[in-house]
Amino acid sequence: MSDLKAAAARALACLDLTNLNEDCTEEDVRALCARAQTPHGPTGAICIWPQFVSLAKPLLAGTGIRIATVVNFPSGMEDADTVIGMTETAVADGADEIDMVIPWPKLIEGHPQEAAAMVRRVRKSADGAEVKAILETGMLADPGLIRSAAEQAIEGGAHFIKTSTGKVPVNATLTSARIMLEAIRDSGEEVGFKPAGGVKSTQDAADYLALCDEIMGEGWATPATFRIGASGVLDALLATLDGADEPQTGEGY
């Protein structure tokens, strides 16, 4: 249990506590901000829809919890000028991090360079906010396409590469995580990694931390370089830290 507790503590500090439900309300966001301030310390960030950023900003002031939001989400195929406008508005509202979906269908069609171009534009418009590029690995599926997507996102200047939106049938997997971490390692760039969707138990979180330790070296995975995108795993992490049984996991992000 001590090893699992240590993993739970690491994971909690790296958690992007998420509500990207279609029916999310202001009350839900207030509750999310409160949940992120746990008895075992704050989560790394919350991840919410753009329209709620200005609401969350004062609620998290002084907590150290960052605010992430999403653009070009979840399709990856919105008009570029619209995505840039959303990015600029989100940053003006107080977003610290922009989780953007790359135009992954273009990779499948044989136009990978469009992913780098979109990341480059979003990073420029983010005005210092960190950019996490979502590859949608479950839809790319092919290891070669996942590797290409990771390389294009890194070339475009992404601060993090992220597996998934959580809105498709297959989200984060250890297989796709390995491909992405190896791309980061081989690039020589300082780029972080975020698995998202499907991380539901403390053991799930521990498995991703162990993979980071294996590929990137022990101590690499900190909130500055590693995040977990999840809504349900917080209860599991807190239960582990309290020495209690984990709750039954459900479906969702």
Side-chain angles (χ1 to χ4, degrees):
M1 175 62 81
S2 59
D3 286 348
L4 209 54
K5 276 191 175 181
R10 288 178 72 190
L12 176 64
C14 297
L15 180 62
D16 284 7
L17 186 64
T18 300
N19 189 329
L20 293 172
N21 296 333
E22 298 294 338
D23 59 355
C24 183
T25 66
E26 289 190 358
E27 277 307 304
D28 293 332
V29 173
R30 290 190 178 92
L32 193 76
C33 290
R35 285 188 70 219
Q37 302 170 63
T38 86
H40 292 280
T43 66
I46 62 166
C47 188
I48 53 177
W49 293 109
Q51 63 265 34
F52 297 122
V53 169
S54 60
L55 170 67
K57 193 66 176 179
L59 296 175
L60 294 177
T63 64
I65 299 169
R66 296 167 67 83
I67 298 174
T69 192
V70 292
V71 300
N72 206 24
F73 186 96
S75 72
M77 292 298 290
E78 293 183 23
D79 174 74
D81 289 339
T82 300
V83 174
I84 298 311
M86 289 182 66
T87 300
E88 291 172 346
T89 299
V91 173
D93 285 346
D96 302 297
E97 301 173 1
I98 303 294
D99 288 28
M100 60 154 294
V101 184
I102 68 168
W104 57 266
K106 294 294 185 181
L107 276 95
I108 294 173
E109 294 169 7
H111 306 289
Q113 68 282 358
E114 295 196 25
M118 177 67 86
V119 174
R120 197 172 290 114
R121 287 196 65 184
V122 171
R123 173 160 175 170
K124 184 176 180 180
S125 64
D127 193 29
E130 290 199 332
V131 174
K132 305 195 199 85
I134 305 172
L135 309 188
E136 203 68 292
T137 54
M139 298 302 290
L140 293 174
D142 177 76
L145 283 177
I146 295 170
R147 175 74 185 216
S148 176
E151 291 172 346
Q152 289 295 316
I154 293 168
E155 181 181 323
H159 296 94
F160 275 74
I161 53 175
K162 173 179 171 182
T163 60
S164 322
T165 61
K167 300 291 187 180
V168 295
V170 177
N171 293 289
T173 67
L174 290 168
T175 300
S176 60
R178 179 175 291 277
I179 296 167
M180 293 168 67
L181 285 164
E182 288 174 347
I184 292 171
R185 179 198 64 199
D186 295 347
S187 75
E189 301 290 337
E190 294 183 2
V191 177
F193 169 66
K194 178 178 173 180
V199 184
K200 300 182 182 302
S201 69
T202 301
Q203 187 60 59
D204 289 340
D207 289 343
Y208 283 102
L209 284 164
L211 189 64
C212 289
D213 290 345
E214 175 197 337
I215 296 172
M216 303 302 296
E218 290 190 17
W220 177 84
T222 70
T225 54
F226 177 70
R227 299 290 181 81
I228 297 170
S231 57
V233 77
L234 179 58
D235 289 339
L237 298 176
L238 293 174
T240 299
L241 290 166
D242 288 335
D245 292 334
E246 293 185 30
Q248 293 294 310
T249 57
E251 294 302 312
Y253 196 99

